[in-house]
């Protein structure tokens, strides 16, 4: 019996508009590309369509001990990929910031250049690439248009993004307060979070697509405390401190009780130097014929017959 291995397959959820055609299959020119992530600057997977000029972020969810049953085959890789549209301005922003440091105007095709990720040219064909005008100063001369990053415009543009995300969170009644973990545990809608909490949460989401410097600038611009600063200043509940250990770990007694069998005067009398009531009663008892308790523990003498 010949064993034929099935080709490796992946399960991907695609958006209906922009990627999938009327037949539910990916449109012509749809392909996966690797681009530089705007936050980590590392390689990340995206989905591009030449036909619809849409850029989608691909996120992979994988759990251990998961598999897919596809037709008559079993795929050991049980991961799930989900594609969601992303504003290409976020992906172009690191290039704009980097080239804007010299203060020179340049055409966009000379700014978005990356030898390590040559597929960045796909960003220039996106239908939403015109939004870079919202974060740059532009000049035109005939058919040539040049750009230079404007930090003030960039922060205003990011603020609009944060406000849009916060409005969506409020509209969908997402629970973003620090004490909320799930909607089932929330007693009232007030605990879902205030407007300031929604803004802070939305700022965190937008900051996932910004590098550390831009994220800090955005937090300062919006008057929102940085999450890392909150972690450092917030007092975390700690366990009670352990009891202090004795300096000397000696199992031997610190005093020699064999030197004096007589009880100290302080043990016989009370603080005032007088006998207690119980001691007075015992002193009046007739002890004639009574044996000392120590006699019961003395060795028995041998009896001669």
């Amino acid at each position: 019996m010949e064993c034929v291995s099935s080709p490796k397959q992946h399960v991907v959820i695609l958006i209906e508009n922009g990627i999938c055609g009327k037949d539910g299959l990916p449109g012509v020119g749809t392909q996966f590309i690797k681009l530089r992530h705007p936050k980590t600057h590392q390689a990340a997977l995206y989905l591009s369509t030449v036909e619809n000029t849409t850029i989608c972020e691909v996120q992979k969810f994988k759990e251990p001990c998961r598999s897919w049953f596809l037709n008559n085959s079993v795929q050991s890789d049980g991961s799930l990929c989900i594609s969601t549209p992303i504003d290409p301005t976020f992906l172009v922003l690191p290039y704009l910031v980097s080239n804007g440091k010299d203060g020179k105007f340049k055409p966009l095709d000379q700014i978005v250049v990356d030898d390590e990720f040559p597929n960045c040219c796909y960003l220039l064909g996106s239908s939403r690439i015109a939004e870079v005008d919202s974060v740059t100063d532009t000049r035109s001369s005939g058919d040539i248009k040049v750009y230079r990053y404007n930090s003030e415009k960039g922060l205003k543009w990011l603020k609009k993004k944060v406000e849009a995300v916060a409005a969506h969170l409020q509209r969908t009644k997402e629970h973003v307060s620090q004490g909320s973990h799930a909607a089932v545990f929330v007693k009232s809608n007030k605990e879902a979070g205030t407007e300031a909490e929604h803004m802070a949460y939305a700022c965190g989401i937008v900051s996932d697509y910004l590098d550390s410097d831009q994220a800090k600038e955005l937090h300062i611009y919006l008057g929102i405390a940085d999450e890392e600063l909150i972690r450092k200043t917030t007092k975390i509940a700690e366990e009670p401190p352990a009891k202090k250990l004795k300096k000397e770990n000696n199992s031997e007694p610190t005093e020699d009780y064999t030197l004096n069998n007589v009880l100290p005067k302080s043990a016989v009398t009370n603080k005032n130097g007088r006998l207690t009531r119980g001691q007075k009663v015992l002193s009046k008892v007739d002890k004639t014929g009574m044996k000392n308790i120590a006699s019961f523990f003395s060795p028995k003498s041998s009896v001669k017959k």
Side-chain angles (χ1 to χ4, degrees):
M1 180 177 179
E2 184 180 359
C3 180
V4 180
S5 59
S6 60
K8 191 174 182 180
Q9 302 180 64
H10 297 277
V11 178
V12 183
I13 298 178
L14 304 175
I15 60 173
E16 185 176 359
N17 298 326
I19 297 295
C20 293
K22 296 180 179 179
D23 55 358
L25 298 177
V28 178
T30 301
Q31 59 180 330
F32 289 96
I33 59 175
K34 284 187 178 181
L35 299 173
R36 189 182 298 276
H37 194 278
K39 180 179 179 65
T40 62
H41 301 289
Q42 301 298 322
L45 191 63
Y46 295 86
L47 194 63
S48 173
T49 59
V50 177
E51 186 181 62
N52 296 295
T53 62
T54 302
I55 302 294
C56 289
E57 179 185 18
V58 180
Q59 295 184 346
K60 186 176 183 180
F61 300 89
K62 187 174 182 179
E63 296 181 353
C65 304
R66 299 285 182 177
S67 301
W68 285 106
F69 291 90
L70 303 176
N71 296 326
N72 295 325
S73 64
V74 178
Q75 298 296 326
S76 59
D77 186 0
S79 60
L80 175 65
C81 296
I82 301 177
S83 65
T84 54
I86 184 173
D87 190 336
T89 308
F90 280 105
L91 304 178
V92 176
L93 197 59
Y95 299 100
L96 293 172
V97 175
S98 177
N99 284 270
K101 293 178 180 179
D102 57 6
K104 296 181 180 180
F105 286 86
K106 296 180 182 179
L108 200 58
D109 57 357
Q110 294 182 14
I111 295 176
V112 186
V113 178
D114 196 330
D115 295 335
E116 189 176 353
F117 299 94
N119 287 327
C120 64
C121 61
Y122 283 92
L123 299 173
L124 303 179
S126 173
S127 58
R128 301 183 61 183
I129 195 61
E131 289 192 20
V132 297
D133 292 354
S134 302
V135 299
T136 58
D137 296 325
T138 60
R139 291 180 182 178
S140 300
S141 177
D143 296 336
I144 300 176
K145 189 175 183 179
V146 290
Y147 303 82
R148 183 181 64 185
Y149 178 69
N150 186 314
S151 59
E152 184 65 24
K153 285 186 176 181
L155 291 172
K156 288 182 179 180
W157 179 79
L158 290 173
K159 180 182 178 181
K160 292 181 179 179
K161 293 293 183 181
V162 173
E163 290 174 344
V165 175
H168 176 77
L169 294 173
Q170 289 180 324
R171 185 169 59 254
T172 55
K173 298 181 180 180
E174 297 291 339
H175 301 277
V176 299
S177 60
Q178 294 182 356
S180 299
H181 298 281
V184 70
F185 297 111
V186 178
K187 297 179 181 179
S188 63
N189 291 333
K190 294 181 180 179
E191 297 183 19
T194 62
E195 183 179 354
E197 288 175 330
H198 279 94
M199 283 291 293
Y201 196 87
C203 185
I205 294 177
V206 174
S207 296
D208 286 339
Y209 297 91
L210 304 173
D211 60 22
S212 58
D213 293 337
Q214 286 181 309
K216 290 180 180 178
E217 289 179 3
L218 179 60
H219 279 80
I220 295 173
Y221 184 77
L222 297 177
I224 299 174
D226 193 359
E227 292 182 1
E228 294 183 2
L229 183 61
I230 293 176
R231 293 193 193 99
K232 293 178 181 179
T233 56
T234 302
K235 293 182 179 180
I236 302 174
E238 299 179 352
E239 296 181 359
K243 294 181 179 180
K244 294 182 179 180
L245 298 176
K246 293 182 178 179
K247 294 182 180 179
E248 298 180 0
N249 189 15
N250 248 342
S251 59
E252 298 180 358
T254 56
E255 297 181 10
D256 190 357
Y257 297 101
T258 60
L259 297 178
N260 191 3
N261 292 330
V262 181
L263 292 175
K265 187 176 181 180
S266 60
V268 178
T269 60
N270 57 13
K271 295 181 180 180
N272 298 327
R274 299 178 181 179
L275 294 174
T276 63
R277 182 178 178 182
Q279 291 171 338
K280 290 180 180 180
V281 174
L282 289 174
S283 64
K284 297 178 180 179
V285 176
D286 185 9
K287 301 180 180 64
T288 305
M290 291 185 179
K291 294 183 178 180
N292 192 331
I293 191 171
S295 63
F296 293 96
F297 299 96
S298 60
K300 296 181 179 180
S301 59
S302 57
V303 180
K304 295 182 179 181
K305 293 184 179 179

